[in-house]
Amino acid sequence: MRKPCCDKQDTNKGAWSKQEDQKLIDYIRKHGEGCWRTLPQAAGLFRCGKSCRLRWINYLRPDLKRGNFAEDEEDLIIKLHALLGNRWSLIAGRLPGRTDNEVKNYWNTHLRKKLINMGIDPNNHRILHHSLHRRHENPNNSTSATSSGLKVQTDKQRPDAVKSNGGGDNDQTSDTGSCLEDEPCELPDLNLDLSMTIPSPGKPKEQKNFSEPNNIKEQELTPFRTLVLFQ
DNA sequence: AAATACGTCAACCGCCTGGTG
DNA sequence: TCACCAGGCGGTTGACGTATT
């Protein structure tokens, strides 16, 4: 049996109050992020350390953008999801001011439907069957423009694909990856620059993201530095 | 106006990874 | 090499607001 991350007996759960938010903000302003386990007690919060971390990262951080996603942000998320699968932290790392939770929620509530409406399977970014039928009825369309300006490319138009995660440890991701392997499949026209930039010193979170937490070693990402996959 | 269905999103949970002794 | 720990991640839940009947 795994130990709980903290003693849950004396911890609050559920929505955060303004006072709790303020305590957390004040504490982090004074002492900085980190040591989440001891933070609640030090800050006078009856919360689990993880809960504090999540609240700070997803809601209280001053550099958060919040608000609606711009169209170019949507496109970027779709493109990155086609490449990376459900690795929300990596995707969010490319969207300044956005959090993995926010990106994940936005994907699940908006973009999935949007892709489905566009005739694209959001799990693997292939054209859905009924859309293929329509395309067969109209063979002149080798690419189909989308409402968001994305083009859908046929397999023959792409160079050979790259495994998206280097290990296939994620079902969703491997599903996405499988799109790159065998059957004819459809992918957005990812004219996507994933070049790695050296993160600014003031943003350790992004640095962490770029250091690849999920089994993608730096070398494995190297081919993506100038992405040839979807050119 | 009330009941129900649906959509959104903050928050929680449990697992995984990397660092350290 | 192993065990432990803290932090991080993705999946899921549930509360709340809005739309529809």
Side-chain angles (χ1 to χ4, degrees), chain A residues 77-78 81 86 88 104-124 128 172:
Chain A
I77 292 170
I78 293 169
H81 187 270
N86 293 358
W88 307 115
K104 178 173 59 182
N105 281 333
Y106 193 71
W107 173 266
N108 286 328
T109 57
H110 293 91
L111 296 181
R112 280 181 70 89
K113 288 173 204 162
K114 185 172 178 176
L115 286 188
I116 289 169
N117 286 339
M118 285 157 50
I120 299 170
D121 184 338
N123 292 323
N124 53 27
L128 291 166
Q172 296 270 16

Side-chain angles (χ1 to χ4, degrees), chain A residues 77-85 125 164 176 180 187-188 190 230:
Chain A
I77 292 170
I78 293 169
K79 289 168 181 173
L80 287 167
H81 187 270
L83 182 69
L84 300 167
H125 296 259
S164 66
T176 301
L180 307 174
L187 278 166
L190 299 183
F230 302 115

Side-chain angles (χ1 to χ4, degrees), chain A residues 53-72:
Chain A
R53 177 185 159 270
L54 222 58
R55 182 66 179 170
W56 174 254
I57 287 174
N58 288 332
Y59 203 81
L60 298 176
R61 251 170 46 200
D63 57 332
L64 290 182
K65 202 184 267 181
R66 308 202 66 77
N68 293 338
F69 281 73
E71 201 166 324
D72 59 331

Side-chain angles (χ1 to χ4, degrees), chain A residues 93-149:
Chain A
R94 306 296 306 182
L95 293 156
R98 302 295 187 184
T99 69
D100 52 354
N101 209 32
E102 201 177 7
V103 171
K104 178 173 59 182
N105 281 333
Y106 193 71
W107 173 266
N108 286 328
T109 57
H110 293 91
L111 296 181
R112 280 181 70 89
K113 288 173 204 162
K114 185 172 178 176
L115 286 188
I116 289 169
N117 286 339
M118 285 157 50
I120 299 170
D121 184 338
N123 292 323
N124 53 27
H125 296 259
R126 297 182 196 194
I127 292 291
L128 291 166
H129 287 302
H130 65 269
S131 296
L132 278 176
H133 292 156
R134 261 188 267 142
R135 278 155 46 86
H136 286 143
E137 288 163 15
N138 194 0
N140 289 336
N141 293 342
S142 62
T143 63
S144 55
T146 69
S147 63
S148 63

